[in-house]
Amino acid sequence: MTFPGTTTDIPEELLKYQEEGRVVFFCGAGISYDAGIPLFKGLLDRTAKGINHSLTDEEKKLRRDSQFDQLYFRLEQHNGDRLHVRRESIKYLVPDTPVREAGLSKHVSLLKLARGRDGMSRLVTTNYDCLFDEAQAKLSVSVPSFAAPLLPVPKEYKWDGIVYVHGKLDRSPSDANLETLVISSGDFGQAYLTERWASRFVTDLFRDYVVCFVGYSVNDVILKYLVDAITAERNHAHRTPEKKPLPIYAFSGVNDGDRESDSNNVHPISNCWA
């Protein structure tokens, strides 16, 4: 596997899994950053400014601690109009000018890598943007998409397409479209704890595929939700073990202090674009 602008040493085991068609790339905000889409922290800062909200001391602490989902929930509560806050946020998630080729290079590479020998594409993202649509146009291909909460069963013989596990923005987002986005701590609670449609998808995905995270920092709040969900499920399954869990990889700029992520069966691969 070759990623633009990197000299990453990719583990032989991961290459083997890729050759067997067992790898699914799970894509985060880092892949869209070069296209002008902000990371979660930047999105919060711009949203707060756009709605003229000055962070309280407690909210500033949430920001310092990278509890961005909780801070977003606080913004919605403080404003009293959930949709008003989201309408402000999407101004920074939908590019108002065509994205340059360099800004789509990661999306193009990932679309190529996601296509298996059976001709089916299997790719997952927590991003809300439509940049994979633009990458498809560059490649002159058409890949189906599934957006939360209507997710497919991630079985090899059933699944062909890109899964927007936290929702996908339409080109001209309606209020109904904005309500489908998993962005605040309240949304995450519904998706992973109460309604559990996201956790069911993630559980099946991690059980049957080798998942490779791309575009997240090791300590990303979204990555934490995902890893916590699958770790809890694996701890439960361990009581009646069936087979050894498949490894999880994370392409990310990490340092030695991040290596504790290995304890959650996440193997960080450094010096790659994040």
Side-chain angles (χ1 to χ4, degrees):
M1 290 181 288
T2 303
F3 292 90
T6 75
T7 56
T8 303
D9 184 15
I10 300 173
E12 291 185 10
E13 184 183 39
L14 179 55
L15 291 171
K16 178 177 178 292
Y17 283 129
Q18 172 68 4
E19 290 173 0
E20 295 172 352
R22 302 175 68 188
V23 174
V24 170
F25 292 95
F26 207 120
C27 309
I31 70 166
S32 295
Y33 186 74
D34 290 344
I37 306 296
L39 304 180
F40 207 163
K41 181 178 180 180
L43 177 65
L44 274 165
D45 290 344
R46 297 183 193 186
T47 300
K49 182 177 180 180
I51 63 174
N52 297 314
H53 176 73
S54 298
L55 299 185
T56 65
D57 289 342
E58 186 176 351
E59 290 168 346
K60 289 177 181 177
K61 184 178 187 306
L62 289 174
R63 184 181 181 277
R64 287 195 302 271
D65 294 342
S66 300
Q67 300 298 315
F68 303 131
D69 59 318
Q70 295 182 39
L71 178 52
Y72 199 93
F73 185 65
R74 290 286 297 268
L75 291 183
E76 291 183 332
Q77 286 187 313
H78 179 86
N79 186 265
D81 185 345
R82 168 185 169 98
L83 285 172
H84 174 67
V85 177
R86 296 191 176 213
R87 291 187 200 108
E88 181 63 32
S89 293
I90 64 170
K91 295 177 182 178
Y92 317 109
L93 296 173
V94 179
D96 53 7
T97 58
V99 179
R100 295 181 180 179
E101 186 171 343
L104 292 174
S105 62
K106 299 178 179 65
H107 300 79
V108 168
S109 295
L110 286 161
L111 279 175
K112 292 178 180 177
L113 290 167
R115 191 172 182 85
R117 289 174 294 185
D118 57 4
M120 301 172 77
S121 297
R122 301 179 187 92
L123 191 68
V124 182
T125 181
T126 52
N127 296 345
Y128 316 108
D129 61 64
C130 298
L131 296 185
F132 275 119
D133 292 344
E134 296 196 28
Q136 289 177 62
K138 294 279 186 185
L139 293 172
S140 298
V141 299
S142 179
V143 180
S145 65
F146 306 87
L150 304 177
L151 305 183
V153 177
K155 299 292 185 183
E156 184 175 354
Y157 59 91
K158 291 184 177 180
W159 176 20
D160 179 17
I162 303 170
V163 175
Y164 292 82
V165 72
H166 291 166
K168 179 185 181 184
L169 284 168
D170 297 332
R171 290 291 181 182
S172 299
S174 65
D175 287 350
N177 181 214
L178 296 183
E179 289 283 10
T180 66
L181 303 184
V182 178
I183 188 167
S184 74
S185 56
D187 301 325
F188 279 101
Q190 286 184 318
Y192 287 92
L193 297 176
T194 56
E195 298 177 1
R196 298 196 73 248
W197 46 263
S199 57
R200 284 193 295 271
F201 174 83
V202 168
T203 296
D204 289 347
L205 179 72
F206 281 70
R207 184 186 62 225
D208 296 332
Y209 295 93
V210 174
V211 174
C212 187
F213 288 106
V214 183
Y216 300 90
S217 67
V218 170
N219 297 315
D220 191 291
V221 62
I222 293 176
L223 183 60
K224 181 180 183 301
Y225 272 107
L226 295 168
V227 172
D228 284 354
I230 193 59
T231 299
E233 194 67 29
R234 285 180 173 178
N235 288 341
H236 176 75
H238 184 67
R239 299 169 192 168
T240 55
E242 297 177 1
K243 59 182 180 180
K244 181 180 178 181
L246 292 169
I248 304 168
Y249 295 91
F251 283 97
S252 175
V254 300
N255 55 47
D256 292 339
D258 295 319
R259 294 294 175 178
E260 68 271 10
S261 297
D262 285 333
S263 63
N264 283 331
N265 203 33
V266 177
H267 309 294
I269 303 171
S270 60
N271 300 320
C272 182
W273 40 264

